[in-house]
Amino acid sequence: MKILVLNCGSSSVKYKLFDMDKHEVLAQGGVEKLGLPGSFLKFTLPNGEKVILEKELPEHNAAIQFILSILTDEKYGCIKSYDEIDAVGHRVVHGGEAFSGSVEITSEVIGKVVECIDLAPLHNPPNLKGIRAMSSLIPGIRQVGVFDTAFHQTMPDYAYMYGLPYSVYKKYGIRRYGFHGTSHRYVSRRACEILGVPYEKQRIITAHVGNGGSIAAIKNGKCVDTSMGLTPVEGLLMGTRCGDVDAGALTFLMDKEGLDAKGMSNLINKQSGVLGLSGLSSDMREIEAAIADGDKKAILALNVYNYRIKKYIGAYAAVLGGCDILVWTGGVGENQWATRRVVCENMEYMGMKIDVKKNEGMRGEEMVISAPDSKVTIIVVPTDEEYMIASDTMDILNK
């Protein structure tokens, strides 16, 4: 069974083609600068060689058509015709309260995703464009939607409700939804597979941290809390997002700076976080280089970043009544060993003890990094959201 996974953003389309029978990735890459001058398709050949093909791609339909043409291309392709693609799995960012799992896409499902556009105005529209493009390019192909928010739908109401008038929840659906759900689901399950322990009997904290970041508390296989909220702004300090901030500070700023809603959204989504505090960059590699040069604002930004992660881990240990497994994933979680060390230091009171030597320098591998006498198993698990989407798609097709 061959499954194409698509992740459509406003200016990009990422893809992976899986042969699920052989557990192989046949092709992967993505279109960047979609709708902008200089758009291009970048992909990796089986031998690891990177290929970049420039082409004017004004919208999603053209981008996906170009991707399909390369998949069947005599020189670069891995399939002979579109008929070899059994189904398409789509990342869909926001499913609101309508979806607690992945579903086959129907006109009714599309209608529900459209209803959620207000909750994710930057993400759901391009996700829908990808779905519609596939319907027009390969009529009748089966498609599955895998929602970033679905895994968190098991949260109890006292965890997802805000202290706002109940009427705004009923009227607008304002509550905590959480994101990165596909990643949290994958790494928590994968960690239990690696460790040989039953998923349904563990207290797990998953730390998906990178340019975007969130923490989830998972008890007996179900998410009971997560740090992102109605939008991906809440929670941790991120590359350009502010994370937790007093709502009163935002209204104060709106008044003092004369900001409207769009201006405030731009401030908290694109000008804040590590970039805003450091005044340098949202890229942790540049922050680490600046820290090596003694830059005080870079040091502050990283300290806030690490502190916020530690605070949420502590809070979720309280929520879970303890912790059996801490999973690190995401760009920073998988690669920035210094952040893992700083966050896990001085956590012995809750049974967490990191093996400093194992952790140091370790990047992008599945590895247990806790000390032998640690009661909490600390493990790094590189995320694979695309595989999770492909797996869900295959499961739904086989029902």
Side-chain angles (χ1 to χ4, degrees):
M1 182 179 284
K2 294 183 176 70
I3 293 173
L4 178 64
V5 173
L6 289 179
N7 179 356
C8 296
S10 57
S11 61
S12 67
V13 178
K14 297 175 185 175
Y15 71 92
K16 267 191 184 182
L17 180 64
F18 291 87
D19 184 326
M20 297 302 286
D21 298 324
K22 296 180 180 178
H23 303 284
E24 289 180 358
V25 176
L26 301 177
Q28 61 182 319
V31 168
E32 297 181 34
K33 300 183 76 174
L34 177 61
L36 301 169
S39 53
F40 61 91
L41 172 61
K42 182 178 180 179
F43 56 94
T44 306
L45 295 175
N47 64 6
E49 181 187 346
K50 306 279 187 190
V51 178
I52 296 175
L53 301 177
E54 294 186 11
K55 184 179 175 69
E56 289 306 309
L57 298 166
E59 39 72 42
H60 288 76
N61 200 294
I64 294 171
Q65 188 170 21
F66 189 38
I67 289 167
L68 291 173
S69 73
I70 295 300
L71 291 176
T72 54
D73 184 73
E74 194 171 312
K75 181 179 180 181
Y76 296 119
C78 56
I79 56 175
K80 292 181 179 178
S81 76
Y82 299 167
D83 295 339
E84 292 186 47
I85 301 172
D86 294 288
V88 183
H90 295 267
R91 179 197 180 207
V92 183
V93 168
H94 218 306
E97 293 183 320
F99 303 104
S100 58
S102 303
V103 294
E104 185 160 3
I105 292 167
T106 63
S107 57
E108 183 183 0
V109 168
I110 288 173
K112 293 288 186 185
V113 175
V114 169
E115 288 175 15
C116 293
I117 285 175
D118 276 354
L119 298 173
L122 300 178
H123 298 94
N124 276 25
N127 298 161
L128 286 164
K129 287 176 182 175
I131 293 166
R132 289 168 175 148
M134 284 306 312
S135 295
S136 66
L137 293 167
I138 310 181
I141 193 162
R142 295 177 73 181
Q143 302 188 74
V144 168
V146 180
F147 298 86
D148 273 14
T149 51
F151 181 60
H152 305 303
Q153 280 296 298
T154 52
M155 286 189 291
D157 54 5
Y158 54 79
Y160 68 68
M161 287 298 292
Y162 291 121
L164 296 168
Y166 193 80
S167 58
V168 301
Y169 163 66
K170 296 302 290 183
K171 192 173 182 180
Y172 303 112
I174 294 177
R175 49 156 284 186
R176 180 186 311 284
Y177 289 100
F179 299 88
H180 297 138
T182 308
S183 176
H184 287 294
R185 179 161 57 106
Y186 172 79
V187 299
S188 57
R189 285 186 175 276
R190 179 64 188 144
C192 291
E193 287 175 8
I194 294 166
L195 299 172
V197 296
Y199 183 58
E200 292 77 14
K201 295 183 179 179
Q202 307 300 313
R203 298 166 298 179
I204 306 170
I205 298 172
T206 47
H208 176 117
V209 290
N211 202 269
S214 63
I215 311 281
I218 301 162
K219 189 170 188 177
N220 302 332
K222 296 185 184 299
C223 178
V224 296
D225 206 348
T226 190
S227 58
M228 282 182 169
L230 173 76
T231 75
V233 177
E234 190 178 4
L236 305 178
L237 191 79
M238 296 170 239
T240 60
R241 298 184 189 126
C242 62
D244 292 339
V245 64
D246 178 5
L250 302 183
T251 56
F252 179 87
L253 263 179
M254 289 178 81
D255 182 50
K256 292 293 184 182
E257 296 288 325
L259 296 171
D260 59 8
K262 187 175 180 180
M264 177 52 69
S265 178
N266 186 61
L267 176 72
I268 62 177
N269 277 290
K270 297 180 179 179
Q271 298 176 21
S272 298
V274 172
L275 171 65
L277 280 176
S278 69
L280 296 170
S281 174
S282 62
D283 189 317
M284 278 299 183
R285 291 165 295 190
E286 293 184 31
I287 295 299
E288 286 187 321
I291 288 170
D293 290 335
D295 189 292
K296 290 184 178 180
K297 287 196 293 182
I299 293 168
L300 173 65
L302 187 59
N303 285 343
V304 175
Y305 185 92
N306 292 341
Y307 174 78
R308 195 74 64 89
I309 298 169
K310 183 189 283 277
K311 186 167 77 167
Y312 265 98
I313 289 171
Y316 285 168
V319 165
L320 294 169
C323 177
D324 300 308
I325 305 168
L326 170 64
V327 187
W328 287 97
T329 195
V332 170
E334 295 166 24
N335 298 298
Q336 195 162 308
W337 58 268
T339 281
R340 296 193 302 254
R341 187 201 69 223
V342 169
V343 170
C344 293
E345 277 178 343
N346 302 316
M347 299 284 265
E348 290 85 358
Y349 72 92
M350 59 172 278
M352 185 182 294
K353 189 175 179 183
I354 193 166
D355 186 320
V356 175
K357 287 186 179 178
K358 271 190 181 179
N359 174 65
E360 187 167 344
M362 202 286 287
R363 300 177 188 272
E365 296 178 43
E366 292 183 341
M367 185 183 286
V368 173
I369 57 169
S370 45
D373 58 341
S374 178
K375 293 179 182 177
V376 178
T377 301
I378 309 168
I379 185 170
V380 178
V381 180
T383 193
D384 195 342
E385 293 168 273
E386 293 86 0
Y387 175 78
M388 196 84 251
I389 293 169
S391 181
D392 280 10
T393 302
M394 184 177 70
D395 289 346
I396 287 170
L397 260 61
N398 287 337
K399 281 182 181 176

